[in-house]
Each structure stands twice: as structure tokens, then as C-alpha cells.
Amino acid sequence: MGQHIIDAHAHLWLHVDTVVNGSPIHPLEPNRSRSLFFGEERQMLPPYMTDGQNTAERFLSNMDYAQVSAAVITQEFIDGLQNTYLEQVQRQYPNRFFCFGMPASLPKSAERPATAAAPNVLGGLAAEAQSLIDRGFRGIKVPAARLPQQFLNDEMLQMLRMMEQKNVILGIELMDGDTQVCQMEEVIQECPRLKIAIGHFGMVTRPGWLSQIRLARHENVFIESGGITWLFNDEFYPFPSAIRAIREAADEVGWQKLMWGSDYPRTITAITYRMSFDFVTKSKEMTDDEKRLFLCDNAKQFFGFGELKEIPYIKNMSE
């Protein structure tokens, strides 16, 4: 197609060793591309990444090979907290990556009483987010799907209002269906200028997914498709049902509200990085203009990327 591509949902880490809901997640020896994941052995990384490191340099090699100009790096509890590494990545590669910070206190923030903050004084969660912003992060991640169902409290709202004032983007994934949609409607009502990116395409293969997509009818809410190839993995490449779902979402909110995301690197244990988007570029059910919006232009505008790197096509040895 001869166009730029931006990945709106990917992950990076130097090392994963964490506990989520009481279950450890850590690399297994000797093949450290596999991990103990909620009590099961899982292929967390492509098998050639034997040191367990999912670094920016390895991702940039994949991006350059696939001609992807830039990427948004999100965070998740199962990655372990990666603020220190991602701060370094953001400084080192400012034109290639937009990195989300994630407050360490999030896993318990919705379970405790809201803190009483004096006027113009930030409470614990908001103060932690402010510290991340001061370190250069322009987005804050809230994995609400792994928080208690009722994740919204006064302390969370204080953080979101602060983010709205500072033009900091909220990245969020929700529980399946409409479980947390009413809370998101409240967030949007309280913080109408807050830019929100809803991940995992609303958990598209789960009942009620369109309730999350419809949140993008609000001006500053966008949807990104990180994990869509995982969600349609049973069908596998070229994911025709995923194409139909993307079109259905566009009918609900418009093509200008949807962004492509890969969910790298876990998704490329099953497919190549290029395959995670070329099922879109090769689709005959989308116009070139629709593909351009979905694969680049919407994310470029939403995340504020500047001039994008021109990446030439390099022939394979097998060609």
C-alpha cells in the first residue's frame, strides 16, 4: 500500500517476575521464552528469545522488517511493572515509541477507601501518576479488567481529572461485555476532554463487546485492536471474522475512531509480526482510505506522533 503503519498496542520488558491475584508469573529455565503463567507453562515469547528479554531493540528489528514506523507501548500486570525500563525507552527512541506509565498502587487502588486530599493536593494514586508524568510519560495505563469490578472511586477520579487537565492519555482495558461500561460513561461525563484508548477491541469475541465499542461515540474515546488476532486465534490467519468485526465496529462509531494494535510479542508466538496486520492490508473488504485510517492516521493524530520514519522494503533471502 505504500503507507506508514503505527502499532497502537504492544509490550516491552527486560524481565518478568511478578505475582497477579496470588499466582506467580516468571520465566522458566532453561528455555526462558516460556513462563509459569497462572500455574501453567505458557509460551510467553517466540522460542528464539531464550533470555526472556523482550527489548526495544528486538521490537525495532521486527518493526523495521515489517515496515512499521512507530508503536505505542502499553503495560499490564502480567508484564510486571516496567516504568523504569520504559522511561529509558521513551528517552532513547522518542520518535518510534509512545510509552504508557502504570502506577504501582493500581492493584489495590479500587479496594481501599478514597484518600482525603486537601484542595489542590493530589492523593496517593494521583500523586503517583503525576510522578510518572514528570518522568516523561504522556499516558497512564489502567488495566481495569484485572481490577475489582467496581474500579472507579474518588481517588481514581482525582487521578483522571488531573490527567484531563494535563492532556495525558488514559489507556484502559475493560472486563468482558458491559460489566464496566457504566463506570466508563461516568468517567467520560466527569472528564469529557480526557483522551481514552480502549484496548483489546472491546474483547470482540465475547458477548456484549459492542457496548464497549459504542463508548467511542464520545469525542475523545478511541478503540484499539491489540490482541484481535489472539481473540480470533481459533479461526487463524487471514482472520476473516476479525475483518467483519472491524467493519461492524466502524458502522457503530466510524473508521476515524479505530486503531490497529498487535499485542506484540505474545501474539507472534503463533504468527509473524507482519501477519498481525497484513490480514488488513490484503483484505478486499476495506478500502485504501479505511486501511490508512485504521493502520496509521488515527493513531498518529490520537497519540501525537510527529514525522514518521520512512522504512524501505528489504527483500528476503527466500525471494
Side-chain angles (χ1 to χ4, degrees), residues 93-271:
Y93 304 106
N95 298 322
R96 301 300 300 274
F97 294 121
F98 176 106
C99 297
F100 277 98
M102 188 168 71
S105 57
L106 268 176
K108 297 179 181 178
S109 64
E111 298 172 335
R112 63 175 183 254
T115 55
N120 301 318
V121 176
L122 295 178
L125 185 58
E128 189 178 359
Q130 178 64 71
S131 176
L132 291 169
I133 295 165
D134 291 342
R135 290 164 60 180
F137 290 104
R138 294 175 289 141
I140 298 296
K141 177 64 182 291
V142 176
R146 297 194 189 277
L147 290 175
Q149 180 176 328
Q150 180 62 39
F151 72 91
L152 187 62
N153 60 18
D154 289 345
E155 188 177 7
M156 181 74 73
L157 268 177
Q158 187 190 30
M159 180 185 78
L160 298 175
R161 290 186 182 116
M162 179 272 291
M163 290 168 57
E164 179 189 32
Q165 293 171 1
K166 295 181 178 296
N167 196 31
V168 172
I169 295 172
L170 170 66
I172 192 165
E173 286 109 33
L174 304 175
M175 292 178 178
D176 293 358
D178 63 0
T179 306
Q180 295 173 317
V181 165
C182 287
Q183 292 176 79
M184 287 306 302
E185 290 283 5
E186 184 177 347
V187 168
I188 294 163
Q189 182 178 357
E190 291 287 332
C191 309
R193 293 181 293 104
L194 177 65
K195 296 174 71 173
I196 302 170
I198 296 175
H200 292 167
F201 218 67
M203 294 301 291
V204 57
T205 54
R206 311 292 198 259
W209 68 281
L210 282 173
S211 64
Q212 295 188 34
I213 301 297
R214 294 185 184 112
L215 289 168
R217 291 174 176 176
H218 295 281
E219 180 180 2
N220 291 312
V221 181
F222 283 59
I223 307 292
E224 46 92 340
S225 74
I228 197 168
T229 59
W230 152 62
L231 289 163
F232 286 100
N233 183 64
D234 288 347
E235 181 180 84
F236 205 64
Y237 187 89
F239 308 107
S241 296
I243 293 291
R244 288 193 289 272
I246 293 166
R247 291 203 60 84
E248 188 173 1
D251 288 342
E252 292 283 341
V253 299
W255 284 101
Q256 74 281 2
K257 286 304 193 77
L258 308 178
M259 305 179 289
W260 168 70
S262 69
D263 214 356
Y264 172 100
R266 297 182 184 96
T267 49
I268 65 166
T269 59
I271 58 176

